[in-house]
Amino acid sequence: MASIVAENVSKSFRQGREFVHVLEDVSLSVDPGEVVALEGPSGSGKTTLLSILGCILTPSKGRVVIDGHEVLASDGSKLAEVRKRFIGFVFQQYNLFAALSALENVELALNIKGVRGPRARQAAQKALEDVGLGDRMGFLPRDLSGGQKQRVAIARALVGSPSVLLADEPTANVDSRAGQAILEIFRTLAKRDARALLIVTHDPQVRTVTDRVLCIRDGRLTSESGT
Ligand SMILES: Nc1ncnc2c1ncn2[C@@H]1O[C@H](COP(=O)(O)OP(=O)(O)OP(=O)(O)O)[C@@H](O)[C@H]1O
Ligand SMILES: [Mg+2]
């Protein structure tokens, strides 16, 4: 069973009296352990599509099924539930809490999911070790490099064992060496734990770790090329 399924997804936003059509009839699926890049020009709809797959936005038309759970536009609480249980997000800007250490940032993500105390702490430590930050757990974000901050964000996304990992331009703010390290961690952990990974990117380096590349242009998937 695919971890991510989108069938004929369209999305329009109302802008005054007009509708802006951002996604048109997008269908895709990503299997467990598969690493897929989503490429396309600025404004083509990448973040909108990722937000729909990540249960942050609902489609205007079409179906989204995450790990066998259909996400219906009409049901906001189901949407939040699926997001919490099955989805991990990594953003370009890391979005870490500045006043919390690396460990506390990761632990907080578990607390939000209802896991607390020593169990949360141990899982957070393990997740930071998985991304190679076992020796940086007590550091505040300001004392970490960009690449290290992004690795904390990856640990935070993975700590609840989501079946789907979605990343929006995860290497855009780091140099190419740190970017390559991030990409290899992503691939290793997606494969090890059979998580579906979809990476939105402009960075050609991403293709070094993907199984497949999807291209989007003006809200439509245009082509798929293997790597
Ligand atoms: N809430 C909204 N209301 C109206 N239009 C929107 C809304 N959100 C996005 N759009 C429009 O949808 C289009 C696609 O936006 P999106 O953020 O998905 O692009 P993107 O491919 O991620 O671009 P970038 O590479 O610059 O991040 C843009 O033209 C944008 O103006
Ligand atoms: Mg975007």
Side-chain angles (χ1 to χ4, degrees):
M1 182 180 69
S3 300
I4 307 175
V5 176
E7 277 175 20
N8 309 107
V9 165
S10 298
K11 181 71 179 174
S12 320
F13 293 103
R14 202 191 178 102
Q15 274 289 323
R17 299 172 69 179
E18 309 260 298
F19 277 96
V20 189
H21 301 288
V22 177
L23 296 175
E24 301 269 3
D25 216 19
V26 171
S27 297
L28 60 85
S29 74
V30 184
D31 287 332
E34 199 180 13
V35 183
V36 177
L38 175 65
E39 299 181 350
S42 180
S44 57
K46 303 182 297 295
T47 296
T48 305
L49 179 56
L50 211 67
S51 303
I52 289 174
L53 300 177
C55 304
I56 290 174
L57 283 178
T58 54
S60 309
K61 282 190 210 149
R63 253 176 113 218
V64 174
V65 184
I66 301 296
D67 213 20
H69 298 262
E70 177 153 10
V71 184
L72 295 170
S74 55
D75 191 348
S77 64
K78 174 91 186 281
L79 199 71
E81 177 67 21
V82 171
R83 183 170 63 228
K84 221 160 72 175
R85 272 181 63 196
F86 300 110
I87 313 271
F89 272 105
V90 176
F91 305 95
Q92 178 175 342
Q93 307 288 354
Y94 325 123
N95 295 2
L96 300 176
F97 284 102
L100 300 183
S101 69
L103 184 62
E104 288 163 342
N105 265 283
V106 178
E107 219 178 321
L108 180 64
L110 275 172
N111 296 158
I112 290 167
K113 292 176 202 290
V115 184
R116 288 170 200 284
R119 244 183 85 211
R121 175 129 309 191
Q122 275 167 19
Q125 285 166 344
K126 165 91 174 34
L128 283 166
E129 279 158 14
D130 280 348
V131 298
L133 289 178
D135 58 349
R136 291 288 185 277
M137 300 208 207
F139 281 49
L140 291 174
R142 65 159 185 259
D143 299 325
L144 296 169
S145 70
Q148 289 169 336
K149 282 193 272 251
Q150 195 58 301
R151 285 192 271 150
V152 175
I154 294 170
R156 180 185 55 189
L158 285 169
V159 77
S161 291
S163 35
V164 170
L165 198 54
L166 302 172
D168 200 348
E169 303 272 5
T171 58
N173 285 345
V174 300
D175 66 34
S176 69
R177 224 175 107 206
Q180 192 65 38
I182 286 167
L183 291 169
E184 277 162 20
I185 287 167
F186 262 133
R187 184 178 170 90
T188 303
L189 296 179
K191 295 287 172 198
R192 186 191 75 183
D193 301 325
R195 304 192 206 288
L197 169 57
L198 184 62
I199 307 177
V200 162
T201 191
H202 289 108
D203 176 3
Q205 207 177 2
V206 170
R207 288 183 176 229
T208 62
V209 301
T210 52
D211 301 312
R212 194 151 56 93
V213 179
L214 300 172
C215 299
I216 187 168
R217 193 168 281 273
D218 296 332
R220 291 177 183 274
L221 287 189
T222 53
S223 64
E224 273 187 50
S225 56
T227 45

PDB file of all heavy atoms in Angstrom, residues 11-15 19-23 38-51 57 92 168-169 200-202 216 218-219, ligand 1:
ATOM      1  N   LYS A  11      -6.746  22.588  -6.470  1.00  0.00           N
ATOM      2  CA  LYS A  11      -6.884  23.560  -5.391  1.00  0.00           C
ATOM      3  C   LYS A  11      -7.038  24.955  -5.983  1.00  0.00           C
ATOM      4  O   LYS A  11      -6.232  25.377  -6.816  1.00  0.00           O
ATOM      5  CB  LYS A  11      -5.642  23.533  -4.487  1.00  0.00           C
ATOM      6  CG  LYS A  11      -5.702  24.510  -3.318  1.00  0.00           C
ATOM      7  CD  LYS A  11      -6.703  24.074  -2.270  1.00  0.00           C
ATOM      8  CE  LYS A  11      -6.756  25.041  -1.085  1.00  0.00           C
ATOM      9  NZ  LYS A  11      -7.837  24.681  -0.142  1.00  0.00           N
ATOM     10  N   SER A  12      -8.064  25.651  -5.557  1.00  0.00           N
ATOM     11  CA  SER A  12      -8.253  27.044  -5.953  1.00  0.00           C
ATOM     12  C   SER A  12      -8.406  27.880  -4.697  1.00  0.00           C
ATOM     13  O   SER A  12      -8.933  27.404  -3.697  1.00  0.00           O
ATOM     14  CB  SER A  12      -9.529  27.234  -6.767  1.00  0.00           C
ATOM     15  OG  SER A  12      -9.712  26.185  -7.646  1.00  0.00           O
ATOM     16  N   PHE A  13      -7.934  29.115  -4.788  1.00  0.00           N
ATOM     17  CA  PHE A  13      -8.139  30.061  -3.688  1.00  0.00           C
ATOM     18  C   PHE A  13      -9.004  31.194  -4.208  1.00  0.00           C
ATOM     19  O   PHE A  13      -8.838  31.637  -5.348  1.00  0.00           O
ATOM     20  CB  PHE A  13      -6.801  30.647  -3.220  1.00  0.00           C
ATOM     21  CG  PHE A  13      -5.895  29.655  -2.567  1.00  0.00           C
ATOM     22  CD1 PHE A  13      -4.809  29.127  -3.260  1.00  0.00           C
ATOM     23  CD2 PHE A  13      -6.102  29.250  -1.254  1.00  0.00           C
ATOM     24  CE1 PHE A  13      -3.951  28.217  -2.662  1.00  0.00           C
ATOM     25  CE2 PHE A  13      -5.243  28.336  -0.651  1.00  0.00           C
ATOM     26  CZ  PHE A  13      -4.165  27.825  -1.358  1.00  0.00           C
ATOM     27  N   ARG A  14      -9.873  31.676  -3.351  1.00  0.00           N
ATOM     28  CA  ARG A  14     -10.673  32.825  -3.737  1.00  0.00           C
ATOM     29  C   ARG A  14      -9.875  34.084  -3.448  1.00  0.00           C
ATOM     30  O   ARG A  14      -9.330  34.249  -2.375  1.00  0.00           O
ATOM     31  CB  ARG A  14     -11.956  32.816  -2.894  1.00  0.00           C
ATOM     32  CG  ARG A  14     -13.050  33.592  -3.525  1.00  0.00           C
ATOM     33  CD  ARG A  14     -14.204  33.790  -2.563  1.00  0.00           C
ATOM     34  NE  ARG A  14     -15.187  34.597  -3.272  1.00  0.00           N
ATOM     35  CZ  ARG A  14     -16.280  34.089  -3.810  1.00  0.00           C
ATOM     36  NH1 ARG A  14     -16.534  32.809  -3.689  1.00  0.00           N
ATOM     37  NH2 ARG A  14     -17.118  34.884  -4.462  1.00  0.00           N
ATOM     38  N   GLN A  15      -9.788  34.953  -4.442  1.00  0.00           N
ATOM     39  CA  GLN A  15      -9.108  36.247  -4.263  1.00  0.00           C
ATOM     40  C   GLN A  15     -10.101  37.318  -4.687  1.00  0.00           C
ATOM     41  O   GLN A  15     -10.247  37.582  -5.877  1.00  0.00           O
ATOM     42  CB  GLN A  15      -7.863  36.333  -5.162  1.00  0.00           C
ATOM     43  CG  GLN A  15      -6.609  35.733  -4.568  1.00  0.00           C
ATOM     44  CD  GLN A  15      -6.048  36.563  -3.437  1.00  0.00           C
ATOM     45  OE1 GLN A  15      -6.089  37.788  -3.482  1.00  0.00           O
ATOM     46  NE2 GLN A  15      -5.536  35.907  -2.416  1.00  0.00           N
ATOM     47  N   PHE A  19     -11.161  33.430  -8.760  1.00  0.00           N
ATOM     48  CA  PHE A  19     -10.544  32.237  -8.192  1.00  0.00           C
ATOM     49  C   PHE A  19      -9.160  32.058  -8.807  1.00  0.00           C
ATOM     50  O   PHE A  19      -8.998  32.187 -10.015  1.00  0.00           O
ATOM     51  CB  PHE A  19     -11.384  30.997  -8.490  1.00  0.00           C
ATOM     52  CG  PHE A  19     -12.501  30.827  -7.527  1.00  0.00           C
ATOM     53  CD1 PHE A  19     -13.771  31.285  -7.839  1.00  0.00           C
ATOM     54  CD2 PHE A  19     -12.276  30.232  -6.289  1.00  0.00           C
ATOM     55  CE1 PHE A  19     -14.808  31.134  -6.922  1.00  0.00           C
ATOM     56  CE2 PHE A  19     -13.315  30.075  -5.383  1.00  0.00           C
ATOM     57  CZ  PHE A  19     -14.581  30.528  -5.699  1.00  0.00           C
ATOM     58  N   VAL A  20      -8.194  31.796  -7.953  1.00  0.00           N
ATOM     59  CA  VAL A  20      -6.852  31.485  -8.447  1.00  0.00           C
ATOM     60  C   VAL A  20      -6.728  29.968  -8.434  1.00  0.00           C
ATOM     61  O   VAL A  20      -6.870  29.343  -7.383  1.00  0.00           O
ATOM     62  CB  VAL A  20      -5.768  32.080  -7.514  1.00  0.00           C
ATOM     63  CG1 VAL A  20      -4.388  31.941  -8.131  1.00  0.00           C
ATOM     64  CG2 VAL A  20      -6.083  33.512  -7.170  1.00  0.00           C
ATOM     65  N   HIS A  21      -6.501  29.388  -9.601  1.00  0.00           N
ATOM     66  CA  HIS A  21      -6.352  27.931  -9.682  1.00  0.00           C
ATOM     67  C   HIS A  21      -4.880  27.589  -9.511  1.00  0.00           C
ATOM     68  O   HIS A  21      -4.066  27.902 -10.367  1.00  0.00           O
ATOM     69  CB  HIS A  21      -6.875  27.412 -11.022  1.00  0.00           C
ATOM     70  CG  HIS A  21      -8.315  27.743 -11.223  1.00  0.00           C
ATOM     71  ND1 HIS A  21      -9.305  27.105 -10.508  1.00  0.00           N
ATOM     72  CD2 HIS A  21      -8.929  28.652 -12.005  1.00  0.00           C
ATOM     73  CE1 HIS A  21     -10.473  27.610 -10.848  1.00  0.00           C
ATOM     74  NE2 HIS A  21     -10.276  28.553 -11.762  1.00  0.00           N
ATOM     75  N   VAL A  22      -4.572  26.971  -8.406  1.00  0.00           N
ATOM     76  CA  VAL A  22      -3.156  26.732  -8.071  1.00  0.00           C
ATOM     77  C   VAL A  22      -2.729  25.304  -8.414  1.00  0.00           C
ATOM     78  O   VAL A  22      -1.610  25.082  -8.864  1.00  0.00           O
ATOM     79  CB  VAL A  22      -2.906  27.044  -6.580  1.00  0.00           C
ATOM     80  CG1 VAL A  22      -1.484  26.736  -6.191  1.00  0.00           C
ATOM     81  CG2 VAL A  22      -3.220  28.507  -6.305  1.00  0.00           C
ATOM     82  N   LEU A  23      -3.623  24.331  -8.207  1.00  0.00           N
ATOM     83  CA  LEU A  23      -3.312  22.948  -8.591  1.00  0.00           C
ATOM     84  C   LEU A  23      -4.434  22.424  -9.480  1.00  0.00           C
ATOM     85  O   LEU A  23      -5.612  22.684  -9.209  1.00  0.00           O
ATOM     86  CB  LEU A  23      -3.194  22.046  -7.358  1.00  0.00           C
ATOM     87  CG  LEU A  23      -2.064  22.344  -6.380  1.00  0.00           C
ATOM     88  CD1 LEU A  23      -2.176  21.439  -5.154  1.00  0.00           C
ATOM     89  CD2 LEU A  23      -0.696  22.159  -7.042  1.00  0.00           C
ATOM     90  N   LEU A  38      10.225  16.772  -5.701  1.00  0.00           N
ATOM     91  CA  LEU A  38       9.209  17.532  -6.431  1.00  0.00           C
ATOM     92  C   LEU A  38       9.852  18.856  -6.834  1.00  0.00           C
ATOM     93  O   LEU A  38      10.210  19.662  -5.972  1.00  0.00           O
ATOM     94  CB  LEU A  38       7.989  17.775  -5.537  1.00  0.00           C
ATOM     95  CG  LEU A  38       6.891  18.666  -6.118  1.00  0.00           C
ATOM     96  CD1 LEU A  38       6.241  18.015  -7.339  1.00  0.00           C
ATOM     97  CD2 LEU A  38       5.817  18.958  -5.058  1.00  0.00           C
ATOM     98  N   GLU A  39      10.024  19.018  -8.144  1.00  0.00           N
ATOM     99  CA  GLU A  39      10.711  20.208  -8.654  1.00  0.00           C
ATOM    100  C   GLU A  39       9.749  21.049  -9.486  1.00  0.00           C
ATOM    101  O   GLU A  39       8.839  20.506 -10.116  1.00  0.00           O
ATOM    102  CB  GLU A  39      11.882  19.805  -9.552  1.00  0.00           C
ATOM    103  CG  GLU A  39      12.942  18.988  -8.834  1.00  0.00           C
ATOM    104  CD  GLU A  39      14.127  18.605  -9.733  1.00  0.00           C
ATOM    105  OE1 GLU A  39      14.046  18.806 -10.969  1.00  0.00           O
ATOM    106  OE2 GLU A  39      15.108  18.106  -9.194  1.00  0.00           O
ATOM    107  N   GLY A  40      10.019  22.351  -9.531  1.00  0.00           N
ATOM    108  CA  GLY A  40       9.198  23.222 -10.363  1.00  0.00           C
ATOM    109  C   GLY A  40       9.524  24.669 -10.081  1.00  0.00           C
ATOM    110  O   GLY A  40      10.058  24.982  -9.012  1.00  0.00           O
ATOM    111  N   PRO A  41       9.185  25.561 -11.017  1.00  0.00           N
ATOM    112  CA  PRO A  41       9.502  26.973 -10.836  1.00  0.00           C
ATOM    113  C   PRO A  41       8.757  27.580  -9.645  1.00  0.00           C
ATOM    114  O   PRO A  41       7.773  27.015  -9.167  1.00  0.00           O
ATOM    115  CB  PRO A  41       9.039  27.630 -12.140  1.00  0.00           C
ATOM    116  CG  PRO A  41       8.543  26.560 -13.019  1.00  0.00           C
ATOM    117  CD  PRO A  41       8.524  25.268 -12.283  1.00  0.00           C
ATOM    118  N   SER A  42       9.234  28.737  -9.213  1.00  0.00           N
ATOM    119  CA  SER A  42       8.582  29.464  -8.131  1.00  0.00           C
ATOM    120  C   SER A  42       7.139  29.772  -8.518  1.00  0.00           C
ATOM    121  O   SER A  42       6.864  30.181  -9.641  1.00  0.00           O
ATOM    122  CB  SER A  42       9.360  30.759  -7.884  1.00  0.00           C
ATOM    123  OG  SER A  42       8.751  31.463  -6.850  1.00  0.00           O
ATOM    124  N   GLY A  43       6.229  29.530  -7.616  1.00  0.00           N
ATOM    125  CA  GLY A  43       4.820  29.811  -7.882  1.00  0.00           C
ATOM    126  C   GLY A  43       4.085  28.688  -8.592  1.00  0.00           C
ATOM    127  O   GLY A  43       2.895  28.807  -8.888  1.00  0.00           O
ATOM    128  N   SER A  44       4.753  27.561  -8.841  1.00  0.00           N
ATOM    129  CA  SER A  44       4.111  26.481  -9.602  1.00  0.00           C
ATOM    130  C   SER A  44       3.149  25.636  -8.750  1.00  0.00           C
ATOM    131  O   SER A  44       2.412  24.827  -9.281  1.00  0.00           O
ATOM    132  CB  SER A  44       5.164  25.587 -10.251  1.00  0.00           C
ATOM    133  OG  SER A  44       6.044  25.068  -9.275  1.00  0.00           O
ATOM    134  N   GLY A  45       3.207  25.811  -7.417  1.00  0.00           N
ATOM    135  CA  GLY A  45       2.244  25.090  -6.575  1.00  0.00           C
ATOM    136  C   GLY A  45       2.867  24.042  -5.668  1.00  0.00           C
ATOM    137  O   GLY A  45       2.147  23.253  -5.042  1.00  0.00           O
ATOM    138  N   LYS A  46       4.189  24.034  -5.534  1.00  0.00           N
ATOM    139  CA  LYS A  46       4.872  22.985  -4.763  1.00  0.00           C
ATOM    140  C   LYS A  46       4.472  23.009  -3.285  1.00  0.00           C
ATOM    141  O   LYS A  46       4.126  21.977  -2.711  1.00  0.00           O
ATOM    142  CB  LYS A  46       6.399  23.151  -4.880  1.00  0.00           C
ATOM    143  CG  LYS A  46       6.917  23.122  -6.304  1.00  0.00           C
ATOM    144  CD  LYS A  46       8.439  23.230  -6.363  1.00  0.00           C
ATOM    145  CE  LYS A  46       8.980  24.543  -5.810  1.00  0.00           C
ATOM    146  NZ  LYS A  46       8.592  25.738  -6.588  1.00  0.00           N
ATOM    147  N   THR A  47       4.560  24.182  -2.679  1.00  0.00           N
ATOM    148  CA  THR A  47       4.245  24.271  -1.249  1.00  0.00           C
ATOM    149  C   THR A  47       2.770  23.986  -1.009  1.00  0.00           C
ATOM    150  O   THR A  47       2.395  23.333  -0.026  1.00  0.00           O
ATOM    151  CB  THR A  47       4.643  25.658  -0.696  1.00  0.00           C
ATOM    152  OG1 THR A  47       6.066  25.788  -0.813  1.00  0.00           O
ATOM    153  CG2 THR A  47       4.255  25.819   0.761  1.00  0.00           C
ATOM    154  N   THR A  48       1.931  24.447  -1.928  1.00  0.00           N
ATOM    155  CA  THR A  48       0.493  24.178  -1.798  1.00  0.00           C
ATOM    156  C   THR A  48       0.233  22.673  -1.842  1.00  0.00           C
ATOM    157  O   THR A  48      -0.506  22.135  -1.006  1.00  0.00           O
ATOM    158  CB  THR A  48      -0.282  24.890  -2.931  1.00  0.00           C
ATOM    159  OG1 THR A  48       0.062  26.278  -2.897  1.00  0.00           O
ATOM    160  CG2 THR A  48      -1.772  24.726  -2.777  1.00  0.00           C
ATOM    161  N   LEU A  49       0.876  21.986  -2.777  1.00  0.00           N
ATOM    162  CA  LEU A  49       0.702  20.535  -2.880  1.00  0.00           C
ATOM    163  C   LEU A  49       1.214  19.838  -1.617  1.00  0.00           C
ATOM    164  O   LEU A  49       0.552  18.954  -1.057  1.00  0.00           O
ATOM    165  CB  LEU A  49       1.420  20.004  -4.127  1.00  0.00           C
ATOM    166  CG  LEU A  49       1.348  18.498  -4.357  1.00  0.00           C
ATOM    167  CD1 LEU A  49      -0.093  18.002  -4.415  1.00  0.00           C
ATOM    168  CD2 LEU A  49       2.083  18.112  -5.648  1.00  0.00           C
ATOM    169  N   LEU A  50       2.386  20.265  -1.148  1.00  0.00           N
ATOM    170  CA  LEU A  50       2.948  19.658   0.067  1.00  0.00           C
ATOM    171  C   LEU A  50       2.017  19.881   1.261  1.00  0.00           C
ATOM    172  O   LEU A  50       1.834  18.989   2.093  1.00  0.00           O
ATOM    173  CB  LEU A  50       4.329  20.271   0.334  1.00  0.00           C
ATOM    174  CG  LEU A  50       5.330  19.367   1.019  1.00  0.00           C
ATOM    175  CD1 LEU A  50       5.718  18.206   0.118  1.00  0.00           C
ATOM    176  CD2 LEU A  50       6.577  20.143   1.431  1.00  0.00           C
ATOM    177  N   SER A  51       1.421  21.071   1.324  1.00  0.00           N
ATOM    178  CA  SER A  51       0.509  21.383   2.435  1.00  0.00           C
ATOM    179  C   SER A  51      -0.742  20.507   2.375  1.00  0.00           C
ATOM    180  O   SER A  51      -1.284  20.114   3.413  1.00  0.00           O
ATOM    181  CB  SER A  51       0.104  22.853   2.399  1.00  0.00           C
ATOM    182  OG  SER A  51       1.255  23.659   2.434  1.00  0.00           O
ATOM    183  N   LEU A  57      -3.672  21.833   4.447  1.00  0.00           N
ATOM    184  CA  LEU A  57      -4.733  22.394   3.596  1.00  0.00           C
ATOM    185  C   LEU A  57      -5.572  21.250   3.058  1.00  0.00           C
ATOM    186  O   LEU A  57      -5.078  20.134   2.922  1.00  0.00           O
ATOM    187  CB  LEU A  57      -4.103  23.096   2.386  1.00  0.00           C
ATOM    188  CG  LEU A  57      -3.474  24.460   2.522  1.00  0.00           C
ATOM    189  CD1 LEU A  57      -2.901  24.875   1.165  1.00  0.00           C
ATOM    190  CD2 LEU A  57      -4.495  25.467   3.002  1.00  0.00           C
ATOM    191  N   GLN A  92      12.248  24.881   5.264  1.00  0.00           N
ATOM    192  CA  GLN A  92      13.483  25.579   4.882  1.00  0.00           C
ATOM    193  C   GLN A  92      14.100  26.345   6.060  1.00  0.00           C
ATOM    194  O   GLN A  92      15.309  26.366   6.244  1.00  0.00           O
ATOM    195  CB  GLN A  92      13.131  26.540   3.748  1.00  0.00           C
ATOM    196  CG  GLN A  92      14.277  27.379   3.265  1.00  0.00           C
ATOM    197  CD  GLN A  92      13.870  28.222   2.050  1.00  0.00           C
ATOM    198  OE1 GLN A  92      12.870  27.938   1.380  1.00  0.00           O
ATOM    199  NE2 GLN A  92      14.647  29.242   1.764  1.00  0.00           N
ATOM    200  N   ASP A 168      10.184  20.853   2.665  1.00  0.00           N
ATOM    201  CA  ASP A 168      10.056  21.969   1.725  1.00  0.00           C
ATOM    202  C   ASP A 168      11.386  22.723   1.666  1.00  0.00           C
ATOM    203  O   ASP A 168      11.744  23.405   2.621  1.00  0.00           O
ATOM    204  CB  ASP A 168       8.926  22.908   2.165  1.00  0.00           C
ATOM    205  CG  ASP A 168       8.427  23.786   1.008  1.00  0.00           C
ATOM    206  OD1 ASP A 168       9.100  23.833  -0.045  1.00  0.00           O
ATOM    207  OD2 ASP A 168       7.367  24.417   1.163  1.00  0.00           O
ATOM    208  N   GLU A 169      12.125  22.547   0.602  1.00  0.00           N
ATOM    209  CA  GLU A 169      13.421  23.209   0.390  1.00  0.00           C
ATOM    210  C   GLU A 169      14.367  23.015   1.586  1.00  0.00           C
ATOM    211  O   GLU A 169      14.905  23.978   2.125  1.00  0.00           O
ATOM    212  CB  GLU A 169      13.214  24.725   0.168  1.00  0.00           C
ATOM    213  CG  GLU A 169      12.290  25.059  -0.974  1.00  0.00           C
ATOM    214  CD  GLU A 169      13.009  25.164  -2.298  1.00  0.00           C
ATOM    215  OE1 GLU A 169      14.232  24.890  -2.339  1.00  0.00           O
ATOM    216  OE2 GLU A 169      12.345  25.501  -3.291  1.00  0.00           O
ATOM    217  N   VAL A 200      10.495  18.831  -1.688  1.00  0.00           N
ATOM    218  CA  VAL A 200      10.333  19.951  -2.625  1.00  0.00           C
ATOM    219  C   VAL A 200      11.668  20.664  -2.727  1.00  0.00           C
ATOM    220  O   VAL A 200      12.292  20.960  -1.706  1.00  0.00           O
ATOM    221  CB  VAL A 200       9.264  20.935  -2.109  1.00  0.00           C
ATOM    222  CG1 VAL A 200       9.389  22.284  -2.809  1.00  0.00           C
ATOM    223  CG2 VAL A 200       7.881  20.358  -2.305  1.00  0.00           C
ATOM    224  N   THR A 201      12.115  20.935  -3.938  1.00  0.00           N
ATOM    225  CA  THR A 201      13.451  21.510  -4.053  1.00  0.00           C
ATOM    226  C   THR A 201      13.730  22.220  -5.374  1.00  0.00           C
ATOM    227  O   THR A 201      13.081  21.957  -6.386  1.00  0.00           O
ATOM    228  CB  THR A 201      14.504  20.389  -3.880  1.00  0.00           C
ATOM    229  OG1 THR A 201      15.787  20.981  -3.735  1.00  0.00           O
ATOM    230  CG2 THR A 201      14.491  19.433  -5.049  1.00  0.00           C
ATOM    231  N   HIS A 202      14.677  23.154  -5.324  1.00  0.00           N
ATOM    232  CA  HIS A 202      15.292  23.696  -6.535  1.00  0.00           C
ATOM    233  C   HIS A 202      16.732  23.185  -6.651  1.00  0.00           C
ATOM    234  O   HIS A 202      17.438  23.514  -7.581  1.00  0.00           O
ATOM    235  CB  HIS A 202      15.386  25.227  -6.464  1.00  0.00           C
ATOM    236  CG  HIS A 202      14.078  25.931  -6.572  1.00  0.00           C
ATOM    237  ND1 HIS A 202      13.486  26.563  -5.496  1.00  0.00           N
ATOM    238  CD2 HIS A 202      13.244  26.107  -7.613  1.00  0.00           C
ATOM    239  CE1 HIS A 202      12.345  27.098  -5.894  1.00  0.00           C
ATOM    240  NE2 HIS A 202      12.170  26.832  -7.167  1.00  0.00           N
ATOM    241  N   ILE A 216       6.519  19.848 -11.529  1.00  0.00           N
ATOM    242  CA  ILE A 216       5.234  20.549 -11.557  1.00  0.00           C
ATOM    243  C   ILE A 216       5.432  21.901 -12.229  1.00  0.00           C
ATOM    244  O   ILE A 216       6.470  22.551 -12.049  1.00  0.00           O
ATOM    245  CB  ILE A 216       4.661  20.701 -10.123  1.00  0.00           C
ATOM    246  CG1 ILE A 216       3.254  21.265 -10.145  1.00  0.00           C
ATOM    247  CG2 ILE A 216       5.547  21.519  -9.234  1.00  0.00           C
ATOM    248  CD1 ILE A 216       2.538  21.171  -8.786  1.00  0.00           C
ATOM    249  N   ASP A 218       2.888  25.300 -13.434  1.00  0.00           N
ATOM    250  CA  ASP A 218       1.546  25.909 -13.433  1.00  0.00           C
ATOM    251  C   ASP A 218       0.489  24.981 -12.826  1.00  0.00           C
ATOM    252  O   ASP A 218      -0.615  24.836 -13.354  1.00  0.00           O
ATOM    253  CB  ASP A 218       1.127  26.281 -14.866  1.00  0.00           C
ATOM    254  CG  ASP A 218       2.044  27.346 -15.452  1.00  0.00           C
ATOM    255  OD1 ASP A 218       2.591  28.137 -14.662  1.00  0.00           O
ATOM    256  OD2 ASP A 218       2.225  27.367 -16.680  1.00  0.00           O
ATOM    257  N   GLY A 219       0.856  24.331 -11.732  1.00  0.00           N
ATOM    258  CA  GLY A 219      -0.127  23.540 -11.002  1.00  0.00           C
ATOM    259  C   GLY A 219      -0.412  22.165 -11.553  1.00  0.00           C
ATOM    260  O   GLY A 219      -1.290  21.463 -11.054  1.00  0.00           O
TER     261      GLY A 219
HETATM  262  N1  LIG B   1      -3.837  31.347   0.332  1.00  0.00           N
HETATM  263  C1  LIG B   1      -3.646  31.686  -0.953  1.00  0.00           C
HETATM  264  N2  LIG B   1      -4.501  32.520  -1.591  1.00  0.00           N
HETATM  265  C2  LIG B   1      -4.318  32.835  -2.890  1.00  0.00           C
HETATM  266  N3  LIG B   1      -3.307  32.375  -3.660  1.00  0.00           N
HETATM  267  C3  LIG B   1      -2.425  31.553  -3.080  1.00  0.00           C
HETATM  268  C4  LIG B   1      -2.541  31.159  -1.710  1.00  0.00           C
HETATM  269  N4  LIG B   1      -1.503  30.320  -1.419  1.00  0.00           N
HETATM  270  C5  LIG B   1      -0.786  30.210  -2.568  1.00  0.00           C
HETATM  271  N5  LIG B   1      -1.336  30.950  -3.562  1.00  0.00           N
HETATM  272  C6  LIG B   1      -0.824  31.084  -4.932  1.00  0.00           C
HETATM  273  O1  LIG B   1      -0.546  29.793  -5.416  1.00  0.00           O
HETATM  274  C7  LIG B   1       0.582  29.805  -6.275  1.00  0.00           C
HETATM  275  C8  LIG B   1       1.534  28.706  -5.857  1.00  0.00           C
HETATM  276  O2  LIG B   1       2.082  29.001  -4.574  1.00  0.00           O
HETATM  277  P1  LIG B   1       3.096  28.002  -3.851  1.00  0.00           P
HETATM  278  O3  LIG B   1       3.503  28.626  -2.581  1.00  0.00           O
HETATM  279  O4  LIG B   1       2.482  26.650  -3.795  1.00  0.00           O
HETATM  280  O5  LIG B   1       4.310  27.995  -4.899  1.00  0.00           O
HETATM  281  P2  LIG B   1       5.743  27.287  -4.836  1.00  0.00           P
HETATM  282  O6  LIG B   1       5.839  26.404  -6.033  1.00  0.00           O
HETATM  283  O7  LIG B   1       5.935  26.662  -3.498  1.00  0.00           O
HETATM  284  O8  LIG B   1       6.744  28.513  -5.033  1.00  0.00           O
HETATM  285  P3  LIG B   1       8.204  28.816  -4.377  1.00  0.00           P
HETATM  286  O9  LIG B   1       9.180  27.969  -5.154  1.00  0.00           O
HETATM  287  O10 LIG B   1       8.401  30.258  -4.637  1.00  0.00           O
HETATM  288  O11 LIG B   1       8.140  28.483  -2.915  1.00  0.00           O
HETATM  289  C9  LIG B   1       1.162  31.196  -6.201  1.00  0.00           C
HETATM  290  O12 LIG B   1       0.805  31.891  -7.367  1.00  0.00           O
HETATM  291  C10 LIG B   1       0.494  31.805  -4.993  1.00  0.00           C
HETATM  292  O13 LIG B   1       0.277  33.182  -5.164  1.00  0.00           O
END
